[in-house]
Amino acid sequence: MSPDLFVTPTVYVPGRELSWSASRSGGPGGQNVNKVSTKIELRFDLASNRTLHDGVKARLRTLQAGRFDANGKLIVTCDTTRTQRQNLEIARERLAEMVRAAAGSTSQIRRVPYAEAYAEGFEDMQRRIPDC
């Protein structure tokens, strides 16, 4: 079982919902590649999660649609470094970033009625035109 993954100070993923496995990785490493299993597959069981809001789960499922397996688990892989420990930490951070992105606000655009926007634009235009 993995330790809990803290996404923000108030949002976390319980360690019991995370599982990981290691396999042999291609890429740099010389003969080490053929001997040591350093590639990490981190799996997050989104369906059994009780700490994330339903809206965050839905956005995560939409944003990361190609990363889910047939059982509904989100898969994050990492084979960047030559050690299991570092690859696991990188995969955990990638998962935290994905959850943060899904939990972020959907829109920061300020919506104003047409008349108010027109008045603001007209005032700006008057300020920019020099007095004749």
Side-chain angles (χ1 to χ4, degrees), residues 110-128:
R110 179 176 162 242
R111 307 244 185 248
V112 292
Y114 175 76
E116 185 181 337
Y118 181 78
E120 287 177 6
F122 186 70
E123 290 169 4
D124 287 344
M125 185 177 66
Q126 284 182 331
R127 276 181 271 170
R128 283 183 274 143

Side-chain angles (χ1 to χ4, degrees), residues 10-59:
T10 57
V11 177
Y12 74 100
V13 175
R16 67 180 175 278
E17 295 170 0
L18 298 174
S19 61
W20 63 275
S21 61
S23 61
R24 291 190 179 140
S25 172
Q31 294 300 315
N32 193 48
V33 175
N34 301 324
K35 298 180 205 170
V36 183
S37 297
T38 57
K39 179 179 177 181
I40 296 295
E41 274 194 4
L42 180 65
R43 296 177 183 272
F44 171 40
D45 190 4
L46 187 62
S48 68
N49 180 274
R50 296 176 187 247
T51 60
L52 300 177
H53 294 288
D54 291 336
V56 174
K57 288 181 187 180
R59 279 192 296 274

Side-chain angles (χ1 to χ4, degrees), residues 60-69 73-75:
L60 185 60
R61 190 171 294 284
T62 302
L63 292 172
Q64 304 299 331
R67 294 181 181 263
F68 283 89
D69 66 3
K73 292 185 179 184
L74 177 64
I75 302 172

